Amino acid sequence: MSSNKKYWKSVEELENGSIVEALRNNEFVEEIPTDEFLGNAEALASSGTSRRDFLKYVGFSTAAVTLAACEGPVHKSIPYVLQPEQIIPGVADYYATTVFDGFDFANLLVKTREGRPIKVENNTIEGAKFAANARIHASILGLYDSARLKEPKIDGKNSTWSAVDLRIKSSLAEAKAKGGQVVLLTNTLASPSSEKLIAEFIAKNPNAKHVVYDAVSSSEALDAFESVYGQRALVDYDFSKASLIVSVGADFLGDWQGGGYDSGYAKGRIPQNGKMSRHFQFESNMTLSGAAADKRVPMTTADQKQALVQIYNIIVGASIPVSLDGAFKAEVVKAAQQLNAAGSKGVLVSGIEDKNAQLLVLAINQKLASEAFSTVGTRQIRKGSNAVVAQLLKDMNAGSVHTLIMSGVNPAYTLAESASFVSGLKKVKESVAFSLKEDETASIVKIAAPAPHYLESWGDVEITSGTYSLTQPTIRPIFNTKQFQDVLLSLNGVGGTFYDYLKANSSSLIAGSSWNKVLHDGVLVTGSAALSGGAFDSAGAASALSKSKSAGGLELVLYTKTGMGDGQHANNPWLQEFPDPITRVSWDNYITVSNADAKKYDLSNEIVANGGLNGSYATITTADGVKIENVPVIVQPGQAVGTIGFAVGYGRKAALKEEMQVGLNAYSLYKNFNNVQSITLAKANGVHEFACVQGQKTLMGRGDIIKETTLEIFNSKDAEHWNEKPMVSLDHQEVEATTVDLWESFDRTTGHHFNLSIDLNACTGCGACVIACHAENNVPVVGKAEVRRSRDMHWLRIDRYYSSESTFEGDNKRKEGIAGLSSSLSTFNEMEKAGENPQVAFQPVMCQHCNHAPCETVCPVAATSHGREGQNHMAYNRCVGTRYCANNCPYKVRRFNWFLYNKNSEFDYHMNDDLGRMVLNPDVNVRSRGVMEKCSMCIQMTQATKLKAKNEGRPVRDGEFQTACSSACSSGAMIFGDVNDKESKVAKLAADERSYHLLEHVGTKPNVVYHVKVRNT
């Protein structure tokens, strides 16, 4: 029998028509007049809303949002009508290409996802010997730069390509009729097809000529080589074949003659069979090459010229008078004698911009019969002529140039005589600039023609003679752009595209191969014969060089920074935020002065309370009156007394976002393409705030961080002496720290276990790994203000250490001599001051992926945990931002995401831009505000490698596992792999007697292994 009982919850429910009953049937029993109230600003402002009414409105709003959320958002997408066979959603495709932008060059593989290029990799096929530097790794971001020139412009107004074509043809016809000059002004093209096309243009227009202009000139070295060997080229040195290297003012690990020498150099720097190369460096500025040298001697350029003559005397047996200070002369003689003894295993290079100096380099290497110096496969780069460019300026100002067509150059910014160029441009009847952006030059010409990015272009490149490479597009042009070569074809009256022309022309250059194979591989080695040199007066060159004197005053030495280069990537936030390897300063250029000169001119640097670095301002004035005011000052250990360094590539304004308009234009001091100028210096008022990521200045005796020894000790003593293991006390017994565990270890022998090996001998501090990590892992840019607050988000940093004594060993001895607390405090304080000419060491540091990770034990929500393959994982959705892990990490590699860097107008870089976000890697989560992030050991890459091998039914091959940093490292300093594969290279490196872990005594048992630095002093 059923019951008719009614259960009730409250007395009110028993009342007829109660609110409880009504709500049961209709949640919104009465209409809430929210539109009348909330929609009336005056009523809302004058109201005194009760708590009860407020809850009504909130309740309504919540209900409305909930109802709206029930309907999913609509995302309209257009699928492939016919999906290309080679594109599988979620799987990356790689295209071989080659880049040469007039300054940087490399053989590349470009990673694309669903037709979108997202990352640059190094092409490792045989013959592809030029790897990407930091700038080329960052260049992919330039493809998605919203500041690019999107449409052709005529007289400042948007136009069409047909109108541009018609106007240029009309101008050429007028120039021919009137006998006016037509000038094609380009950077060095190093392209056989482009140069042939230009030759055809000149044949069709006899009044035309081709002028090659490079922003950073190597004209003196080109002139010297051409006068001896009959070809305008540069020597492609192979430092792997040298046992002794002497450099006089050449930063060959930087941008000297195009760079790209680090791979060969590093091969000789890793001690094998008890041997390694020895390196002397004579220079003014502290450079990457100077930092790597076994013996570095800071000296002015005037002294370097005398040093070069002294070396020439010893090598060839001459006796030309030399004026050198006694201490300098002793070091130079020592280097020259060892060079002479090395014979064919020795090599000398020089960066002195003087034809006589470069002739001496040729003479010395010829006398040595140096194996590292070869005229087979010369570099076909930086072919500009200072004299020809100077003549062009004269012709323009004389009004004899009728039509000027420019491509790949920005003389209004890069020329020291830019005022002369601008005034001459006004006298040119028709001016055209093919440019990626409406830069300083494109903004003042009559026709601004948008050029495609190299990833949107076809082309061919011959970086070295005997090596032919192809450039192919990896995406259709994003904007209404056209290649300079396509326009030339039209001007020549030739039908078809540059692709058609290129393919037809290549047939004579790739004999023995096929177009498809070269396009697939990206490069073809055809081979070339050695050039035979003619007789030249080296003694006369030495005599002339010995008579050169200092111009008096301070010596300004202009250089290119590792991050910014010649300045064409100034709108690239990855490069702006990239810390300079030497000074560790980002978002700036500055003058570098020695400590002695800083005291003389009352200039200083200071680390302030918030950890930021401040510096003085100075005013520079050249001998002919050119002045730059308020230049920030960095007091640079190792800077030669009497010299000042200043980087070009900064100070740009046109077509740059406001955040990227930083620094000062040092090109204005690059008079007559001479990178050394005589100046006067004066202190200016004010204090400059630097964004410097490394406050520590020295190693200060911390020998367990950078372990190093000499080759003599390395060869003569056991590893226990030079790779000392930290000891701890266990049951009153001294035992190795690595044998003591707080936790019970788990079995790691099954499956993969990843290690990253870093050889401090091979690391040059170039920073390519830092930018590659940015690209692969969607690392955000935070801007100068946040970097200054120590909030940079780099997952990988390269620490730079100076010694306070002349050597790190001297630091250790001084530390060991400390007696008592008071002595300790005073000594360590003194050791924080770097030496006048310190030794330098670079150390890449990322998450160490500790097997006993301190971060994992303190995370209250298990957001960070250890994987069985050795990687320290981050579950971003779990992370609540307590930052306990960062506090407990002894390596300080964790980064807290303070802000939402993605789609945040406060950080107006690529992640706040629809176009810029196209570079993001879809395999890596874009982190949000409030989470910790750090190096993941590129887990997405290791997973993809395993899946590929599984699909192909095979085990993973040695060398196949990579991280972004290891694949970017051209010097071989970083090797990644599976340590459980005992035959793998990384397993052998982990077992090497030079291997050690960072802060080994802490007991964290990292999966990153370092190798003791050995110096051949």
Side-chain angles (χ1 to χ4, degrees):
M1 179 177 171
S2 62
S3 170
N4 292 322
K5 279 184 183 180
K6 181 179 180 181
Y7 292 93
W8 48 271
K9 298 173 184 159
S10 65
V11 174
E12 289 79 10
E13 191 174 347
L14 291 174
E15 297 177 9
N16 191 24
S18 71
I19 186 70
V20 177
E21 188 69 22
L23 285 173
R24 179 180 295 162
N25 300 317
N26 181 8
E27 183 179 0
F28 299 104
V29 63
E30 60 180 313
E31 186 176 349
I32 302 172
T34 53
D35 288 343
E36 297 173 18
F37 181 71
L38 295 179
N40 189 328
E42 294 181 5
L44 190 62
S46 61
S47 67
T49 310
S50 68
R51 177 175 176 270
R52 186 169 181 173
D53 287 338
F54 171 74
L55 291 175
K56 284 183 185 178
Y57 304 134
V58 171
F60 170 78
S61 303
T62 305
V65 170
T66 304
L67 287 170
C70 293
E71 298 180 12
V74 176
H75 294 288
K76 293 183 179 180
S77 61
I78 303 173
Y80 294 112
V81 178
L82 292 173
Q83 180 177 319
E85 289 182 10
Q86 70 272 24
I87 292 183
I88 302 173
V91 177
D93 289 303
Y94 292 84
Y95 295 89
T97 191
T98 299
V99 57
F100 179 58
D101 61 12
F103 191 75
D104 294 311
F105 47 84
N107 303 114
L108 307 177
L109 293 178
V110 180
K111 179 182 179 181
T112 66
R113 282 293 301 270
E114 290 75 54
R116 176 171 55 92
I118 63 171
K119 189 169 184 289
V120 161
E121 303 275 5
N122 290 323
N123 190 347
T124 56
I125 197 169
E126 187 177 355
K129 64 178 182 177
F130 294 112
N133 59 21
R135 294 186 294 271
I136 291 176
H137 277 288
S139 66
I140 198 161
L141 196 54
L143 174 65
Y144 304 114
D145 188 348
S146 57
R148 283 177 59 184
L149 186 57
K150 302 174 180 65
E151 296 278 350
K153 289 187 175 183
I154 297 179
D155 297 327
K157 297 178 181 179
N158 287 346
S159 186
T160 63
W161 281 108
S162 57
V164 168
D165 195 51
L166 187 64
R167 181 150 165 176
I168 296 176
K169 285 180 177 177
S170 174
S171 179
L172 292 176
E174 184 179 314
K176 187 179 289 186
K178 294 183 177 180
Q181 274 191 45
V182 175
V183 177
L184 298 182
L185 179 64
T186 73
N187 57 0
T188 300
L189 297 171
S191 167
S193 296
S194 297
E195 287 168 1
K196 181 184 177 186
L197 188 56
I198 288 173
E200 291 169 357
F201 174 84
I202 293 173
K204 188 176 178 65
N205 300 275
N207 57 327
K209 66 178 180 179
H210 181 205
V211 176
V212 178
Y213 163 58
D214 296 311
V216 178
S217 174
S218 294
S219 184
E220 301 294 336
L222 289 163
D223 292 345
F225 190 87
E226 187 176 22
S227 67
V228 176
Y229 293 96
Q231 185 184 104
R232 194 164 183 78
L234 297 171
V235 178
D236 187 29
Y237 294 90
D238 185 353
F239 290 101
S240 67
K241 296 179 179 178
S243 64
L244 189 80
I245 302 163
V246 178
S247 170
V248 182
D251 182 17
F252 58 86
L253 295 180
D255 295 329
W256 176 75
Q257 293 193 6
Y261 294 113
D262 49 346
S263 176
Y265 175 80
K267 288 176 184 176
R269 297 296 290 170
I270 298 173
Q272 293 177 334
N273 302 320
K275 295 181 179 180
M276 62 180 285
S277 64
R278 193 159 192 224
H279 174 192
F280 287 88
Q281 185 81 11
F282 301 92
E283 63 182 11
S284 303
N285 302 335
M286 174 68 82
T287 65
L288 291 180
S289 302
D294 296 303
K295 181 65 179 180
R296 178 182 182 273
V297 181
M299 55 170 58
T300 65
T301 305
D303 284 337
Q304 289 172 36
K305 292 178 179 179
Q306 299 296 322
L308 196 55
V309 176
Q310 180 66 60
I311 295 170
Y312 173 81
N313 282 343
I314 292 174
I315 299 298
V316 305
S319 56
I320 294 164
V322 171
S323 55
L324 260 179
D325 179 80
F328 284 158
K329 191 168 186 177
E331 294 292 349
V332 172
V333 169
K334 180 180 176 183
Q337 288 173 343
Q338 292 187 25
L339 183 63
N340 200 29
S344 63
K345 291 294 181 181
V347 66
L348 178 133
V349 293
S350 178
I352 299 173
E353 287 299 314
D354 186 296
K355 183 178 177 180
N356 290 322
Q358 296 301 324
L359 285 172
L360 292 194
V361 172
L362 300 177
I364 290 168
N365 285 313
Q366 283 182 356
K367 179 67 176 177
L368 292 171
S370 172
E371 294 176 20
F373 174 93
S374 173
T375 59
V376 178
T378 53
R379 292 195 173 193
Q380 305 297 306
I381 61 168
R382 299 197 185 174
K383 291 194 173 184
S385 168
N386 297 346
V388 174
V389 173
Q391 184 60 48
L392 172 63
L393 288 180
K394 291 178 182 178
D395 291 345
M396 288 171 63
N397 281 282
S400 57
V401 176
H402 182 279
T403 304
L404 177 65
I405 303 175
M406 294 173 281
S407 175
V409 295
N410 186 10
Y413 163 67
T414 57
L415 269 176
E417 298 82 7
S418 60
S420 175
F421 173 81
V422 172
S423 66
L425 194 64
K426 294 175 182 177
K427 298 176 182 178
V428 173
K429 185 70 182 298
E430 190 66 273
S431 55
V432 187
F434 285 81
S435 175
L436 277 170
K437 300 183 181 69
E438 198 170 1
D439 56 26
E440 289 78 1
T441 301
S443 60
I444 60 173
V445 295
K446 293 174 182 176
I447 301 176
H453 192 269
Y454 75 87
L455 293 174
E456 303 169 312
S457 308
W458 284 102
D460 59 358
V461 182
E462 192 176 27
I463 298 172
T464 58
S465 55
T467 304
Y468 182 74
S469 307
L470 287 176
T471 298
Q472 66 171 315
T474 57
I475 189 174
R476 292 195 65 177
I478 297 174
F479 303 117
N480 185 18
T481 58
K482 187 175 282 191
Q483 283 188 240
F484 168 63
Q485 291 88 343
D486 277 312
V487 174
L488 273 184
L489 280 171
S490 175
L491 298 179
N492 287 350
V494 179
T497 65
F498 184 55
Y499 166 77
D500 302 320
Y501 183 91
L502 176 69
K503 190 174 180 180
N505 187 55
S506 68
S507 59
S508 62
L509 300 167
I510 58 173
S513 187
S514 68
W515 167 264
N516 285 343
K517 178 169 173 53
V518 178
L519 191 62
H520 174 272
D521 295 348
V523 62
L524 173 70
V525 178
T526 58
S528 65
L531 300 176
S532 56
F536 65 102
D537 184 11
S538 61
S543 179
L545 193 65
S546 70
K547 295 172 184 175
S548 60
K549 304 292 182 185
S550 172
L554 287 171
E555 204 177 73
L556 175 72
V557 182
L558 299 173
Y559 69 100
T560 56
K561 282 180 73 170
T562 305
M564 199 48 59
D566 64 351
Q568 59 182 290
H569 300 290
N571 207 43
N572 193 310
W574 287 349
L575 294 175
Q576 289 284 9
E577 194 148 296
F578 172 72
D580 181 76
I582 300 295
T583 63
R584 308 295 290 138
V585 173
S586 61
W587 292 102
D588 254 322
N589 68 336
Y590 35 76
I591 58 170
T592 55
V593 302
S594 67
N595 188 50
D597 287 328
K599 289 179 180 177
K600 180 179 178 181
Y601 293 95
D602 192 26
L603 305 171
S604 64
N605 289 144
E606 178 187 10
I607 297 177
V608 293
N610 68 354
L613 180 71
N614 288 356
S616 304
Y617 282 115
T619 297
I620 294 174
T621 308
T622 64
D624 56 351
V626 177
K627 180 184 290 187
I628 301 183
E629 298 180 335
N630 295 328
V631 187
V633 174
I634 288 287
V635 180
Q636 176 61 57
Q639 183 77 30
V641 177
T643 70
I644 289 173
F646 197 11
V648 298
Y650 288 80
R652 293 188 58 186
K653 304 292 182 186
L656 264 64
K657 288 188 176 182
E658 185 179 352
E659 290 81 0
M660 259 68 83
Q661 296 177 19
V662 297
L664 298 161
N665 185 7
Y667 277 119
S668 61
L669 307 176
Y670 193 30
K671 184 182 179 183
N672 297 327
F673 298 98
N674 190 346
N675 68 326
V676 180
Q677 301 287 336
S678 177
I679 63 158
T680 56
L681 187 71
K683 183 178 181 179
N685 295 326
V687 173
H688 185 78
E689 295 184 345
F690 289 104
C692 183
V693 299
Q694 182 164 316
Q696 63 264 40
K697 300 175 184 176
T698 70
L699 189 61
M700 205 178 73
R702 294 186 285 266
D704 54 348
I705 296 175
I706 295 281
K707 287 189 177 183
E708 70 163 41
T709 186
T710 63
L711 184 62
E712 181 184 358
I713 294 173
F714 176 77
N715 288 333
S716 61
K717 296 188 178 181
D718 293 335
E720 290 78 11
H721 180 83
W722 47 264
N723 189 9
E724 187 177 353
K725 302 298 180 184
M727 309 295 285
V728 295
S729 177
L730 178 67
D731 296 332
H732 306 289
Q733 297 290 327
E734 285 277 299
V735 298
E736 287 188 12
T738 53
T739 63
V740 180
D741 287 339
L742 291 177
W743 298 277
E744 186 175 324
S745 295
F746 56 87
D747 182 17
R748 304 189 186 94
T749 59
T750 303
H752 302 294
H753 191 84
F754 296 115
N755 267 202
L756 177 64
S757 172
I758 302 176
D759 196 323
L760 300 181
N761 261 51
C763 180
T764 63
C766 72
C769 55
V770 176
I771 302 298
C773 178
H774 261 288
E776 176 66 30
N777 295 297
N778 301 333
V779 177
V781 171
V782 303
K784 181 177 180 179
E786 293 304 308
V787 173
R788 181 169 166 81
R789 295 187 182 103
S790 301
R791 290 178 179 172
D792 64 286
M793 296 297 290
H794 294 105
W795 283 13
L796 162 64
R797 69 178 192 264
I798 302 181
D799 287 339
R800 178 269 301 131
Y801 292 104
Y802 294 139
S803 64
S804 63
E805 301 294 317
S806 58
T807 64
F808 286 123
E809 182 59 31
D811 280 17
N812 291 330
K813 288 180 179 178
R814 188 173 183 188
K815 182 188 72 171
E816 291 164 3
I818 293 173
L821 177 62
S822 60
S823 174
S824 170
L825 294 174
S826 62
T827 302
F828 277 130
N829 184 53
E830 291 170 5
M831 289 176 71
E832 278 295 335
K833 299 173 183 175
E836 289 294 323
N837 182 29
Q839 280 188 343
V840 185
F842 296 110
Q843 184 175 58
V845 181
M846 66 295 290
C847 174
Q848 302 291 291
H849 295 272
C850 310
N851 289 316
H852 291 170
C855 56
E856 296 168 11
T857 58
V858 296
C859 182
V861 291
T864 181
S865 58
H866 213 66
R868 67 174 298 145
E869 295 179 337
Q871 293 151 316
N872 178 262
H873 296 172
M874 278 297 305
Y876 296 123
N877 276 9
R878 287 183 188 170
C879 181
V880 293
T882 62
R883 289 173 284 158
Y884 295 163
C885 56
N887 291 337
N888 220 40
C889 175
Y891 307 105
K892 302 308 169 193
V893 290
R894 290 178 163 263
R895 301 287 179 261
F896 183 61
N897 198 319
W898 293 88
F899 303 101
L900 183 67
Y901 297 108
N902 182 37
K903 298 183 182 179
N904 187 340
S905 59
E906 190 173 339
F907 302 93
D908 191 18
Y909 307 111
H910 65 292
M911 283 192 177
N912 188 49
D913 187 289
D914 285 338
L915 187 62
R917 280 193 293 273
M918 286 181 70
V919 82
L920 295 178
N921 184 355
D923 293 331
V924 179
N925 187 40
V926 178
R927 283 76 60 189
S928 187
R929 174 191 291 110
V931 303
M932 298 298 304
E933 56 181 87
K934 59 154 195 84
C935 159
S936 68
M937 210 173 255
C938 291
I939 190 169
Q940 71 281 359
M941 294 179 70
T942 56
Q943 289 297 103
T945 302
K946 286 189 290 184
L947 288 172
K948 181 182 178 183
K950 183 178 180 180
N951 288 337
E952 295 175 2
R954 59 172 178 81
V956 179
R957 294 183 286 266
D958 184 31
E960 203 170 354
F961 282 122
Q962 292 288 352
T963 58
C965 54
S966 66
S967 64
C969 184
S970 57
S971 66
M974 291 183 174
I975 303 295
F976 180 75
D978 179 7
V979 77
N980 281 348
D981 177 4
K982 299 306 177 186
E983 297 304 311
S984 67
K985 188 173 182 180
V986 76
K988 293 174 182 176
L989 288 169
D992 190 90
E993 60 181 0
R994 283 204 296 137
S995 68
Y996 73 98
H997 292 113
L998 197 57
L999 300 180
E1000 217 159 15
H1001 59 277
V1002 178
T1004 55
K1005 298 198 171 180
N1007 282 310
V1008 178
V1009 180
Y1010 293 88
H1011 285 75
V1012 174
K1013 187 174 181 68
V1014 181
R1015 295 185 188 270
N1016 192 0
T1017 54

